[in-house]
Amino acid sequence: MDTFDLLATIIKVVIVFVTILVTIIILGLAERRVSGFMQYRLGPNRVGPWGLLQTVADGIKFLFKEDIIPDNVNRPIYLLAPVITMIPAFMTFAVIPFGVPLEIAGHTVKLQVADINIGLLYILALTSVGVYGLVLAGWSAGSKYPLLGGLRSSAQLISYELAMGLAIVGVIMVSGGLTFNEIITHQQATSWNFWKQPLAALVFLVAMFAETNRLPFDLTEAEQELVGGYHTEYSSFKFLMFYMSEYANVITASGFMVCLFFGGWDMPFIDEKALGHWGVVLSVLAFVSKVGFFLFLYIWVRWTFPRFRYDQLMRLGWKVLLPLGLVNIFAVGLWMALRA
Amino acid sequence: MTTILFYLFSALLLGAALFVVLNRNPIYSVVGLVFAFMNLAAMYFLLEAYFIGVLQVLVYAGAIMVLFLFVVMLLNVQPDRPHPGLIHPDRWWFGIMALIFVSLFLLLIGQGVRALLTSPAEDAAGMGSVADVGEALFTSFLLPFEIASLLLTVALIGTVFLAKKKV
């Protein structure tokens, strides 16, 4: 690795990190404005033009609030839990490519922080570790509602994770590789995986909502029954860390979905790699707009569907999504065997 | 660089493993075990066995330990119960377990020393990749692989049988 590559990597890390943070700020506002729009009201529109600075004001408020640590918490684990949630949430985006490689002064810069040969498994591994933060936060708070939220999140994890893995297997089978670049290049050469495997895309979409603990599967923080769920006893910046991790996970899950089933940075009918720098710009725009659509979908679904009950989610995961995932694998295998 | 990292992860791994065994609070032990698995995964990464390393995190640290934590949290074992005496006439099987453990440990150390004395095997290109592991599983290790899956099926059916009140 020479100086150029090192510098390029550092710049990419900074750009991706800052972009995620800015997107979180925008999402925080979009969530409230879109929900206002869907409920026929305005939503926050007083801070800055069109309320654009509302999330910034909220963030500053979180920083200046008193940080309360209740008496009966298990201190070391209580303090550790937000960190355990936040680190994997910000690490996962590293393997997602957001555009075609850029040519600068004879060097090729991949628009992706880390191109590792097991990119898909990396995301799955890290997201399954991230759940410890929720479980431990719930346990360490020393109160019954967070404990229930934490227990639910671990039971939720084992219900959807298998279905999610099975949905991904079909994609890996057709593209023949575990890196995002192979998957996207294959989709660009043929057609988007969504058209080939709509069933797997559906299973993945449902599992994705469960993974990010968003409505209709936000059982870990169901406010009507569990106060705030696992983060009930957290205040100030520690609460902000949970909040930011949730949105970071939402962004990564959208990027993951786009790369797996919707061609990643691929813009249909255009060969981005032949267009030089304009191709790079087009591909980044395509990726950003696709991810933006899924971010909107998250908010849209939130105000459209009621919350599933706890046992309904487990039944959905084990008795519906898991068999559907298996059916998809068999169908893809049969199709590949017949074509070969 | 690799050597320094190897010693760092080894020290963290051993420290975490001791923490698991010596700690009286079961939740702390579970967290320590997760940390130990992470360090083990890091050791696999140092050996360039990325697939095995990620599986270590995904399966052991990610899935199995979440179930451990779930069970420990549900049982709510109190950490401060009185410690039963270690040496007691009723606990003769402790001695047998210790004997088995020590002999296995000595066997492993012997193997390690023997491996150190011989020259290391050459790494083939792409060793430990997904394709490599998959090919080995479905060709040379097909029989053990199928036996393992049979074992898992038996365990699965047994669990359903035990958990279901009326079959």
Side-chain angles (χ1 to χ4, degrees):
Chain A
M1 186 183 269
D2 57 12
T3 329
F4 182 85
D5 287 338
L6 191 69
L7 206 66
T9 309
I10 293 172
I11 292 173
K12 279 189 289 187
V13 169
V14 171
I15 289 178
V16 167
F17 191 69
V18 169
T19 311
I20 290 181
L21 284 179
V22 170
T23 316
I24 289 173
I25 292 176
I26 297 170
L27 260 182
L29 179 73
E31 179 116 65
R32 300 171 66 181
R33 285 309 295 258
V34 172
S35 59
F37 168 69
M38 287 184 182
Q39 296 165 347
Y40 207 63
R41 57 186 173 84
L42 282 173
N45 64 348
R46 294 290 133 180
V47 191
W50 308 291
L52 277 177
L53 297 176
Q54 179 66 45
T55 324
V56 180
D58 286 347
I60 294 170
K61 184 190 75 177
F62 274 126
L63 281 178
F64 284 105
K65 274 203 167 180
E66 187 188 353
D67 190 7
I68 302 164
I69 300 181
D71 267 346
N72 57 345
V73 298
N74 184 311
R75 260 187 101 94
I77 293 195
Y78 177 84
L79 296 178
L80 200 62
V83 183
I84 297 179
T85 316
M86 195 158 157
I87 291 175
F90 279 86
M91 274 170 75
T92 38
F93 202 87
V95 291
I96 294 183
F98 47 91
V100 291
L102 181 64
E103 302 277 344
I104 303 176
H107 292 271
T108 310
V109 181
K110 283 180 181 160
L111 290 190
Q112 178 185 21
V113 175
D115 183 17
I116 53 179
N117 59 7
I118 37 166
L120 293 182
L121 292 176
Y122 170 86
I123 291 194
L124 288 180
L126 277 183
T127 47
S128 63
V129 170
V131 80
Y132 281 109
L134 314 194
V135 180
L136 290 174
W139 176 79
S140 67
S143 129
K144 56 189 166 192
Y145 298 118
L147 181 65
L148 282 173
L151 283 177
R152 281 181 180 191
S153 70
S154 55
Q156 189 173 332
L157 173 90
I158 52 172
S159 319
Y160 69 75
E161 207 181 38
L162 214 55
M164 192 176 208
L166 288 180
I168 295 172
V169 168
V171 174
I172 297 171
M173 281 165 75
V174 290
S175 46
L178 280 170
T179 67
F180 281 104
N181 286 320
E182 281 168 300
I183 289 168
I184 294 172
T185 317
H186 177 264
Q187 291 183 77
Q188 200 187 17
T190 57
S191 64
W192 291 358
N193 281 331
F194 175 71
W195 307 117
K196 286 180 260 175
Q197 304 183 26
L199 191 64
L202 182 73
V203 170
F204 186 84
L205 185 75
V206 176
M208 182 175 101
F209 275 87
E211 189 213 301
T212 45
N213 290 319
R214 294 277 303 189
L215 265 161
F217 304 120
D218 67 335
L219 302 154
T220 56
E221 43 190 313
E223 60 270 16
Q224 289 89 346
E225 28 192 304
L226 296 183
V227 192
Y230 64 91
H231 58 57
T232 304
E233 305 290 345
Y234 283 89
S235 55
S236 183
F237 196 71
K238 293 199 205 59
F239 173 76
L240 186 64
M241 282 165 92
F242 281 122
Y243 183 86
M244 278 163 52
S245 329
E246 181 184 323
Y247 282 113
N249 280 330
V250 165
I251 296 166
T252 310
S254 304
F256 200 10
M257 176 86 191
V258 165
C259 288
L260 282 181
F261 294 102
F262 292 91
W265 38 256
D266 172 45
M267 199 174 260
F269 315 117
I270 292 175
D271 185 17
E272 290 87 355
K273 281 178 179 159
L275 287 175
H277 287 328
W278 285 109
V280 176
V281 174
L282 269 181
S283 64
V284 173
L285 273 180
F287 180 77
V288 168
S289 45
K290 284 178 200 171
V291 170
F293 170 75
F294 279 98
L295 295 179
F296 177 72
L297 186 75
Y298 264 105
I299 304 172
W300 187 6
V301 165
R302 174 171 181 178
W303 300 106
T304 311
F305 290 102
R307 180 181 300 124
F308 274 61
R309 220 171 48 217
Y310 175 63
D311 57 314
Q312 286 171 332
L313 168 69
M314 300 202 66
R315 196 175 304 145
L316 180 75
W318 288 106
K319 292 189 175 171
V320 180
L321 294 182
L322 189 67
L324 283 181
L326 286 173
V327 164
N328 178 64
I329 291 177
F330 276 111
V332 172
L334 197 67
W335 180 73
M336 287 175 75
L338 289 178
R339 264 190 68 198
Chain B
M1 187 63 185
T2 317
T3 321
I4 299 171
L5 283 177
F6 170 77
Y7 281 114
L8 175 72
F9 289 129
S10 309
L12 286 174
L13 176 60
L14 289 177
L18 281 176
F19 181 80
V20 174
V21 185
L22 299 178
N23 207 284
R24 301 283 296 278
N25 188 332
I27 298 266
Y28 286 1
S29 290
V30 172
V31 176
L33 196 53
V34 174
F35 188 63
F37 283 154
M38 295 285 185
N39 284 302
L40 192 57
M43 307 272 272
Y44 285 131
F45 287 136
L46 286 183
L47 291 170
E48 297 186 1
Y50 299 108
F51 180 53
I52 311 276
V54 165
L55 280 193
Q56 175 76 25
V57 176
L58 183 64
V59 177
Y60 286 96
I64 291 180
M65 291 315 290
V66 169
L67 279 180
F68 266 51
L69 197 60
F70 185 78
V71 172
V72 171
M73 272 163 63
L74 267 186
L75 293 179
N76 198 15
V77 187
Q78 290 307 315
D80 51 356
R81 68 192 189 287
H83 195 278
L86 200 62
I87 297 170
H88 192 272
D90 287 349
R91 299 242 154 94
W92 50 271
W93 44 273
F94 269 37
I96 295 177
M97 298 296 273
L99 205 68
I100 294 173
F101 175 74
V102 168
S103 31
L104 279 177
F105 193 64
L106 285 179
L107 194 74
L108 277 178
I109 287 186
Q111 289 280 338
V113 169
R114 228 175 60 188
L116 276 182
L117 294 179
T118 54
S119 57
E122 277 297 315
D123 284 7
M127 203 178 84
S129 70
V130 184
D132 236 43
V133 172
E135 204 179 319
L137 270 186
F138 284 103
T139 52
S140 23
F141 298 102
L142 186 62
L143 188 66
F145 179 69
E146 291 299 334
I147 290 174
S149 42
L150 191 69
L151 196 66
L152 283 175
T153 315
V154 170
L156 203 67
I157 296 172
T159 318
V160 172
F161 183 76
L162 287 177
K164 208 160 179 150
K165 289 194 184 76
K166 215 166 66 184
V167 183

